[in-house]
Amino acid sequence: MRLNATERGKTMVRKSLFIAAVVAALVLGFAVSAYAIGPVYITWNAGGNNAGTGGPHQNYQLTTEKCAVCHSVHAAAPSNAGAGEFGPQATGAAETQLLLRSSVADACTYCHISTNVAGLQVYNGVASNYTVDDVYGHNGSTSAECADCHAVHGANTFKGYIGGKILKKGNEQNEATATLNALVTAGGDVWGATAVSSGDVGDVQVTAFCTRCHKTFSTASETTITAAGYFVEWDGTVTFNSRSYKNHPLKTAEATFVANGANYSGRVAWADAETCRSCHAAGDTRVSTSYGGTGGLVAWSFPHWTNGNASFLVAGWGVNDANIGIADDHDSSTGKPAGSHSVADGAEDGVCLRCHTNGSTGAPNDATAGVNVSF
């Protein structure tokens, strides 16, 4: 049957509308699939698939969901992305790098300073405490950026007690590791220590770690150490070079003092000084929930930032104050060691008097031995 011109025209219109509808459906379907580009960034959740696998920076497994906390294949935020487009916050003008939700420079800041995404917020939650150099912290402006100390993906790090802190292992001072290994009674060497014969295992491991930059570990003041590292000059400036030196030893307190040329042989110290934290005790190292702490905002966060305590030093009047900064002896509301006194200048006498008097009630006249009392 032949169609007249009018019927043929109607048929062509119907075919055109059908084709247009099909094309529209295909375009819409493509558009929907194009915008359904997950997975997007996820909020770190220690439960579910991630239970028992540590933080998001290590122990990646086939069933964990950690990569997308920092990286997202399809949803890496472009420059100037608005709030709600790729996440709850606008990214600003930061360049997208490595499929991160922010720039490399700001990646740590986002989770660990500006927000509490990580569960532990250091530098008192103020980014300038990290970016502006001062005597109260390890700051990223001149010397110590996050990645200088921490391995973002948890490779080649200290294991055992402080494993969750993803501290880089390697280039420790030889004298330090040899001596500190002698303290370890379980867990192999100091890099994987789970127990020590004296002191605190975390402080022993941290001491080994500190010598990566600060090559000032010595077991006797008469021992000459030659090493390359960061050194504080006479005027307080910090330089990196190689030098030979003799310094305060890290050792247990001895009942009889022996030193070449000394005219005194009695007791001179009443508290042990075996680790860096024996003197640089300001700020708590155990505030994260993983180590039994309170987590959340940490205003006094050794070795990141401890306002008022230059070089993280604290002062005291004797052995009671000398014990601050070890184990879990801290004020739960601030993370600052209980009983510590602010040290604005590392040369203040109170730093020495923590160990070199045996006072007990916080007043110098209560000491029965020590500086200005018996020697």
Side-chain angles (χ1 to χ4, degrees):
M1 180 179 68
R2 298 184 64 185
L3 300 176
N4 57 37
T6 300
E7 290 173 332
R8 286 199 300 272
K10 292 180 179 179
T11 300
M12 292 179 66
V13 170
R14 286 195 294 270
K15 288 182 177 180
S16 298
L17 291 173
F18 174 76
I19 293 173
V22 171
V23 171
L26 291 173
V27 170
L28 179 61
F30 174 79
V32 171
S33 64
Y35 283 100
I37 55 175
V40 296
Y41 296 104
I42 65 173
T43 299
W44 167 247
N45 180 6
N49 288 338
N50 294 315
T53 60
H57 297 289
Q58 58 183 338
N59 298 326
Y60 305 98
Q61 300 175 19
L62 295 179
T63 57
T64 55
E65 299 173 345
K66 298 184 178 185
C67 295
V69 174
C70 297
H71 306 277
S72 182
V73 175
H74 293 292
S79 297
N80 298 315
E85 185 174 354
F86 287 91
Q89 296 184 348
T91 62
E95 178 186 357
T96 298
Q97 304 174 62
L98 305 179
L99 304 177
L100 288 167
R101 67 171 81 209
S102 64
S103 68
V104 170
D106 294 334
C108 301
T109 301
Y110 173 78
C111 288
H112 294 280
I113 301 178
S114 301
T115 70
N116 193 23
V117 172
L120 184 63
Q121 193 175 4
V122 296
Y123 290 101
N124 202 26
V126 181
S128 61
N129 289 335
Y130 167 63
T131 58
V132 179
D133 197 26
D134 60 39
V135 298
Y136 304 128
H138 282 78
N139 309 93
S141 60
T142 59
S143 58
E145 297 182 352
C146 298
D148 292 334
C149 296
H150 300 281
V152 176
H153 296 106
N156 195 31
T157 62
F158 279 72
K159 306 300 181 182
Y161 186 83
I162 62 173
K165 298 184 183 299
I166 55 174
L167 296 174
K168 289 182 177 179
K169 179 172 72 69
N171 298 320
E172 291 83 14
Q173 184 180 336
N174 291 334
E175 293 85 355
T177 53
T179 301
L180 294 169
N181 278 339
L183 293 176
V184 178
T185 58
D189 55 32
V190 68
W191 298 288
T194 56
V196 292
S197 59
S198 60
D200 180 84
V201 61
D203 291 343
V204 171
Q205 288 185 301
V206 166
T207 295
F209 173 77
C210 291
T211 66
R212 295 179 73 247
C213 292
H214 305 285
K215 310 289 187 179
T216 52
F217 183 98
S218 176
T219 56
S221 56
E222 294 80 21
T223 301
T224 300
I225 299 295
T226 300
Y230 287 91
F231 297 91
V232 179
E233 305 296 339
W234 63 271
D235 59 356
T237 59
V238 178
T239 60
F240 180 85
N241 53 29
S242 180
R243 65 176 54 182
S244 297
Y245 61 89
K246 298 179 181 180
N247 70 335
H248 192 293
L250 292 177
K251 60 194 300 186
T252 58
E254 299 170 329
T256 301
F257 175 71
V258 178
N260 292 334
N263 57 9
Y264 181 81
S265 61
R267 192 176 192 112
V268 298
W270 282 262
D272 299 338
E274 293 183 293
T275 70
C276 295
R277 294 281 285 161
S278 297
C279 295
H280 304 277
D284 194 4
T285 61
R286 300 162 187 82
V287 291
S288 68
T289 54
S290 299
Y291 297 93
T294 56
L297 180 64
V298 183
W300 311 92
S301 51
F302 172 90
H304 302 98
W305 183 79
T306 304
N307 188 34
N309 292 74
S311 300
F312 308 102
L313 293 165
V314 290
W317 284 120
V319 290
N320 282 3
D321 282 336
N323 290 326
I324 64 176
I326 65 172
D328 289 306
D329 184 12
H330 63 82
D331 184 296
S332 60
S333 63
T334 64
K336 186 179 181 181
S340 66
H341 306 280
S342 296
V343 177
D345 181 351
E348 291 176 359
D349 292 344
V351 176
C352 303
L353 296 176
R354 292 179 68 226
C355 294
H356 293 287
T357 61
N358 70 341
S360 59
T361 62
N365 294 330
D366 291 331
T368 59
V371 172
N372 201 39
V373 179
S374 61
F375 67 88

